[in-house]
Amino acid sequence: DTGVSQDPRHKITKRGQNVTFRCDPISEHNRLYWYRQTLGQGPEFLTYFQNEAQLEKSRLLSDRFSAERPKGSFSTLEIQRTEQGDSAMYLCASSRTGSNQPQHFGDGTRLSIL
Amino acid sequence: AQSVTQLDSQVPVFEEAPVELRCNYSSSVSVYLFWYVQYPNQGLQLLLKYLSGSTLVKGINGFEAEFNKSQTSFHLRKPSVHISDTAEYFCAVSDLGTDKLIFGTGTRLQVFP
């Protein structure tokens, strides 16, 4: 169990640029979740995958956001035309299927928009 | 809709004192409940979970929590805290449809020497 890995740990970019984050889940986990955490708040759900299928997207996820998990292993989260309000910590978690299965989190990608 | 309320945004406490971090949830159905800890610039680490059975749940680092269905609470406790327990603590409920976690706003525990 090598844990959930996220890359990069930090990303600083100018407003209007596109950014992409990567998440490598624990290998035997078929569920993968993306959350966003702003300062002083708890994580908020963005989207999740069951294997390669994206099953739900939050209303927080505007059209500028897209997530993929092409082979049911790693996932990418892309933000196009970044805005100041996108500054946050983006957390990835993975688990086995089931509400009783604990989610294991990566250390997150902190995005700062200049 | 399910929701989680953490009543205290900050809890200051001296080392070796006991502590309780409060969590209340709202749900019309049975729930699974979790406590996570977050150290600065890190992700969340699972402390403990309540799925069913005994209402007193023991977790890592000496923490425990008690599920109270009538009061819809899941308070976290530790009998004697250490400096190293200084961190942000999040209570969460699992949505039974999607299994996504719904978090509270967190409680910052600050332990002083």
Side-chain angles (χ1 to χ4, degrees), chain B residues 60-81:
Chain B
I60 63 171
N61 301 343
F63 284 94
E64 62 182 30
E66 185 158 16
F67 172 65
N68 188 317
K69 188 174 182 179
S70 63
Q71 296 188 4
T72 60
S73 67
F74 189 54
H75 301 332
L76 181 71
R77 301 186 184 102
K78 186 169 182 178
S80 175
V81 295

Side-chain angles (χ1 to χ4, degrees), chain B residues 11-25:
Chain B
V11 173
V13 64
F14 286 110
E15 195 173 19
E16 298 183 6
V19 70
E20 179 180 82
L21 305 184
R22 295 182 292 170
C23 172
N24 287 87
Y25 68 92

